[in-house]
Amino acid sequence: MKRNFLMGAAALASLATLSACGGGNNAQAPAATETEAAAPVETPAAADTPAAAAADGAKLEYASFTGDAAAGEKVFAACRTCHVFDEGVNRVGPSLHKVVGRSAGSVAGFSYSDANKNSGITWTPQVLFEYLKDPKAYVPGTKMAFPGVKDDQKRADLVAYLEAQSK
Ligand code: HEC
């Protein structure tokens, strides 16, 4: 899977510095498919790692992007057929009222899949950033019929918009 390492390199480098006290700064280079010279800064040792995150190796940090909420509103057009932000208003998907910080499967009156309901996920910005890339990979068995937003910057914009809506 191709990632843009250069974009977040500076931010990740400072993260790696900050987390060096976490013990054993095991900055092992990711798989040999990565050719960018900046690769080693890509694995800050003590970054928080949600269980389902690093399925394909080192993970991409939402914090290394600058999400543009206004641009994210346009990306959200893809979600609007199934989701609104109004509290208690469930469509095909559950209300996304204050979704950032919420526990998965917690909207009253919505009939969730067991996969989502029992996932134990908290919808932090980082988790949303990973989930929305490929929902069915992140929550196998989910009934959210949406392929995901593959473009990393667009997905960061979308998450910034979700954050703004959750304030
Ligand atoms: C085709 C309809 C559909 C589309 C399009 C869709 N979703 Fe969903 N979404 C669902 C359904 C259905 C669920 C419930 C999943 C389950 O129970 O397995 C869900 C669940 C979710 C959840 C988990 C909510 C919770 O309470 O646990 C989030 C977050 C979410 N969607 C965000 C989005 C975003 C953001 C988009 C646009 C990028 C989007 N969805 C597009 C139908 C959709």
Side-chain angles (χ1 to χ4, degrees), residues 75-84 91-96 99 102 104-105 110-117 119 121 123 127-150 155 158-159 162:
V75 183
F76 190 76
C79 324
R80 236 178 252 290
T81 37
C82 299
H83 293 285
V84 295
R91 296 268 163 86
V92 176
S95 166
L96 293 183
V99 64
R102 229 165 68 182
F110 185 80
S111 177
Y112 287 98
S113 67
D114 287 344
N116 183 301
K117 200 172 53 192
S119 65
I121 287 171
W123 297 118
V127 166
L128 284 163
F129 183 64
E130 292 172 25
Y131 169 72
L132 291 170
K133 182 172 191 174
D134 188 350
K136 284 187 191 308
Y138 199 89
V139 181
T142 181
K143 64 179 187 178
M144 170 151 136
F146 182 74
V149 177
K150 305 301 178 193
R155 209 165 62 257
L158 172 62
V159 172
L162 295 175

